Amino acid sequence: MAEAKKVREDALAVPRRRFEKVNEIIARHGKSASALIPILQEVQEEYRYLPEEILTYVAMVMDLPPSTVYGVATFYVQFSLEPKGKYVIKICDGTACHVRGSDPVKEAIRKRVGLKNEKHTTDDLRFTVETVSCLGACGLAPVVMINDQIYGQMTPDAINVILDKILEEEGDVK
Amino acid sequence: MKIDSRETLNTMGKTWKEGFAKETARILVCAGTGCVANGSLQVYEALKAEVQRRNAYVSVEMLLEEGQSGTTIVKSGCHGFCEMGPLVRLEPGGILYIKVSKDDATDIVTALLEGKGPVERLLYKHPVTGEIYAEESNIPFYKHQTRTVLQHCGVIDPEDIREYIAEGGYQALAKVLHEMSPADVCQEVIDSGLRGRGGGGFPTGRKWEATRISEGEKKYVVCNGDEGDPGAFMDRSVMEGDPHKVLEGMAIAGYAVGADEGYIYVRAEYPLAVQRLETAIKQALEMGLLGENILGTGFNFRIKIKEGAGAFVCGEETALLASIEGERGMPRPKPPFPAQSGLWGKPTLINNVETFANVPKVINDGAKVFRKSGTAKSPGTKTFALTGQVANTGLIEVPMGITLRDIVYEIGGGLRNGKRFKAVQIGGPSGGCLTEQHMDMELDFDSLLSVGAMIGSGGLVVTNEDTCMVEFARYFMNFTQNESCGKCVPCREGTKRMLEMLQRAVDGEGRPEDVEILEDLAEAVKDGSLCGLGKTAPNPVLSMLKYFKDEYVAHVVDKRCPAGVCKALLGYSIDPESCKGCSKCSRVCPVGAITGEIKKPYRIDSEKCIKCGACVSSCPFKAIKEG
Ligand SMILES: Cc1cc2nc3c(=O)[nH]c(=O)nc-3n(C[C@H](O)[C@H](O)[C@H](O)COP(=O)(O)O)c2cc1C
Ligand code: FES
């Protein structure tokens, strides 16, 4: 028993220094199982995604089976195990937005940032494009959210103007 | 400032009310999510700067503490008329300005301070009659509504508890703590006939009573703010616009069932709601209206916020509890019901945001008065998110029993762009559609169930002749299939197979025999699923097959999409009557599918056509038809 504990302590020693931020988050929420989701939320905010090594580390520190942590991280759509782009573009495909034409807006965005096939994130990690169901601004359908900013009453033309501006700020004149 | 007794609550309420009455004018700028997206915060800053420049501004502190008078500027919750935002409301008079930009600040303030009439160009103008409305309450969108749950939304500052108290807030809590036993409270709620607004319509009082008599030292109250129905934002607006009402309702529930701890589970996508609730909880704690020994009665109640992480099924009560406990949000079998064994195995009362927001009114006015609005079996009002192809979209509140016609035509102002009405989808992915034949039916929990729909959370999506109902059914199936948690095989696999069949229909590969299989499978999924998600997932499809079977048949048999939506089924043809033979279309066609002779009608070769639609927009004579 004591030996197992020591093995665990040793295994933790190095990452503990590396994951200082994670430690701080866990310390703030405590180690009860119900703190897992808020902890993962904050970790994701910090790293923009949930790197696998961090999931394992969180499991160890919280004394939970890694499968539990992985299970939770893959259940909720908010969590991403892959890195996300600098700009996360969420296109609402809730009912209200769907009937007012969110599809053409999505196509326009994917085309403008150069995403093909099933991909969600551009190779240069600049843009992630995802569809979500309902951002709660249905009165302004169709709605697009770029990072934390909501844009309402979108059309392919309108979103292109916004994206042009972002690309310009990025020093990318296409 | 601590409010430690009922007397203090009354005195402070009175003092603050008198303080607020010293306002010579009040400018309310909507700071709901919709208006913020349209730039209302800049409007707020501009208006404030303008009033300050004219030395007419007072802050709430100067008003309440120094007894000064002047004009206040407040960020309010959602007014509901989101499409017309940013919205600005002026008191006295209840004038509503729409689509306000920061450049309008000077004109608005000048008209207000110099006592001129309202700025006409910013008033709502009826799109058909051209009539101009100054007062918010006269605008048809508002005139046919009954706003009780939403009474404060857009009228008070949700971030200032003093406003809520001045308006009579926390009086219902004081009343139950001083005058009623927990059993009395449950009885009052039973007598009111209040039914859960989270979708099922379960009698709220009975749930409270069951939790009250459940044995246990520790009990919980949980508020369901997950609002997963895509296309609904009523709960969000209540949490953002009048958070204290929800807190008060929860505290009353805590007293009634014997709980000292509450959780509000809020959707991940609602950061503003979380922030407003946090502020509200903090203020209520500081004033002693939450926490220990509330109003000196020995009653303790604390509320915590839990943010969801994006999973529709977490709106289901047992899944929600699992999620609060930190697990994958998968539903648990019932019984035991949460009232017996809920959060961490303790008796738990779980209600929807709007249900809790109705409680203070039930207590203040009594069950009898509450029953005066709505129908006998569904008393009270209901909020709806009116969206889709209707002229006025937004958040509305109407008495139960109102007809669809009143909602679509009186409040909604009819269809957009003169299009024809097709159906209203109600209840989101668990609901169904209502068509022309249901226009004059009284809407309540039971009437909707009888026609294969349900109130659900209250999303009302209006569709028109351009909406393909098959594609619409596919859309919902895609949603539920994605959101199925995977626990029950019939739900996990059944929704997938149903989606495949609908996808085939939309892609032009539908098989006529699919209709029967779809119907069979729908029954199997309904019967074989544990929770409401699977039990109701087939509803939109069944409803489509019931009311729009001809559209489905057109897709799978005739390979035609009557609404002209499904790309794979679209064909283009040139109307020889209108074609002048200008050759424009043939020049833009990327695959050379259009041929003909100048000045004679052209033709499209449907084998070559890739349905890109380039020709349609190029034709100056509108001679190219889809369908
Ligand atoms: C799949 C599914 C999703 C649900 N989503 C919600 C929701 O978003 N909000 C809600 O209040 N109730 C939702 N419910 C209903 C809850 O399970 C529960 O009945 C409700 O919170 C009880 O509150 P009420 O009695 O006040 O309506 C959902 C149910 C199911 C089956
Ligand atoms: S449906 Fe798009 S914001 Fe609600």
Side-chain angles (χ1 to χ4, degrees), chain B residues 114-137:
Chain B
E114 294 174 12
K116 297 182 187 159
V119 184
E120 199 172 303
R121 68 165 196 281
L122 298 172
L123 296 175
Y124 175 78
K125 186 170 158 199
H126 195 283
V128 179
T129 63
E131 193 174 334
I132 290 175
Y133 295 86
E135 280 164 53
E136 180 174 292
S137 56

Side-chain angles (χ1 to χ4, degrees), chain B residues 54-75:
Chain B
R54 291 159 175 265
N55 292 326
Y57 175 77
V58 287
S59 68
V60 173
E61 267 57 43
M62 287 147 73
L63 199 65
L64 297 187
E65 276 153 35
E66 296 160 30
Q68 296 192 26
S69 70
T71 300
T72 53
I73 305 187
V74 169
K75 289 183 212 160

Side-chain angles (χ1 to χ4, degrees), chain B residues 195-202 204 207 224-229 235 312-318 334 350-353 355 430 457 531-533:
Chain B
R195 295 173 68 173
R197 303 299 197 239
F202 189 83
T204 304
K207 212 189 246 183
N224 189 342
D226 197 44
E227 196 159 51
D229 173 359
D235 292 347
F312 172 65
V313 73
C314 285
E316 197 282 331
E317 52 194 21
T318 57
K334 289 187 274 192
I350 173 160
N351 275 129
N352 164 265
V353 171
T355 313
S430 323
S457 56
C531 88
L533 191 146

Side-chain angles (χ1 to χ4, degrees), chain B residues 199-491:
Chain B
F202 189 83
T204 304
R206 279 193 16 224
K207 212 189 246 183
W208 288 29
E209 180 66 9
T211 317
R212 184 184 75 82
I213 59 176
S214 199
E215 304 250 336
E217 281 288 295
K218 180 82 187 171
K219 295 181 188 175
Y220 294 98
V221 169
V222 174
C223 173
N224 189 342
D226 197 44
E227 196 159 51
D229 173 359
F233 57 104
M234 300 80 51
D235 292 347
R236 146 178 231 152
S237 304
V238 175
M239 290 185 283
E240 280 178 14
D242 202 3
H244 285 288
K245 201 180 239 169
V246 182
L247 303 186
E248 187 180 359
M250 286 178 72
I252 293 170
Y255 173 72
V257 304
D260 65 350
E261 209 175 334
Y263 282 93
I264 310 181
Y265 189 91
V266 189
R267 258 185 105 199
E269 289 83 354
Y270 288 0
L272 188 58
V274 170
Q275 183 208 317
R276 294 260 164 87
L277 285 168
E278 273 170 356
T279 309
I281 291 173
K282 190 165 149 267
Q283 291 178 350
L285 277 173
E286 277 166 12
M287 294 221 168
L289 293 164
L290 285 178
E292 315 298 313
N293 193 17
I294 296 170
L295 294 175
T297 60
F299 172 62
N300 307 329
F301 196 70
R302 290 187 168 270
I303 297 179
K304 292 189 186 128
I305 299 175
K306 277 277 174 184
E307 278 182 67
F312 172 65
V313 73
C314 285
E316 197 282 331
E317 52 194 21
T318 57
L320 187 147
L321 298 178
S323 180
I324 294 183
E325 291 171 16
E327 294 174 16
R328 288 163 74 93
M330 306 241 245
R332 300 164 177 173
K334 289 187 274 192
F337 290 95
Q340 281 92 43
S341 168
L343 206 51
W344 292 293
K346 309 284 184 232
T348 301
L349 171 76
I350 173 160
N351 275 129
N352 164 265
V353 171
E354 190 182 335
T355 313
F356 282 123
N358 268 293
V359 168
K361 183 179 164 61
V362 169
I363 299 295
N364 280 328
D365 298 354
K368 256 217 191 92
V369 175
F370 185 78
R371 278 186 168 278
K372 283 206 175 123
S373 74
T375 62
K377 284 192 172 158
S378 306
T381 58
K382 177 77 192 86
T383 59
F384 289 103
L386 182 62
T387 59
Q389 303 295 357
V390 61
N392 303 329
T393 60
L395 174 73
I396 64 168
E397 181 177 351
V398 290
M400 292 272 193
I402 192 174
T403 63
L404 196 57
R405 188 178 306 283
D406 281 345
I407 294 182
V408 174
Y409 290 98
E410 301 297 341
I411 299 173
L415 280 269
R416 268 152 64 97
N417 309 326
K419 296 274 182 177
R420 248 195 16 252
F421 172 84
K422 189 172 210 169
V424 165
Q425 214 283 344
I426 183 166
S430 323
C433 36
L434 300 174
T435 61
E436 198 64 50
Q437 73 189 84
H438 305 115
M439 270 294 173
D440 296 304
M441 183 178 91
E442 291 192 348
L443 300 182
D444 65 19
F445 286 109
D446 309 299
S447 69
L448 282 166
L449 277 182
S450 71
V451 298
M454 63 186 261
I455 283 202
S457 56
L460 277 180
V461 188
V462 180
T463 67
N464 68 14
E465 54 196 298
D466 295 336
T467 316
C468 170
M469 298 312 282
V470 182
E471 200 280 334
F472 203 38
R474 183 210 62 88
Y475 164 81
F476 280 118
M477 209 61 219
N478 184 44
F479 179 84
T480 31
Q481 190 267 320
N482 259 324
E483 296 292 344
S484 168
C485 77
K487 184 165 177 162
C488 311
V489 181
C491 173

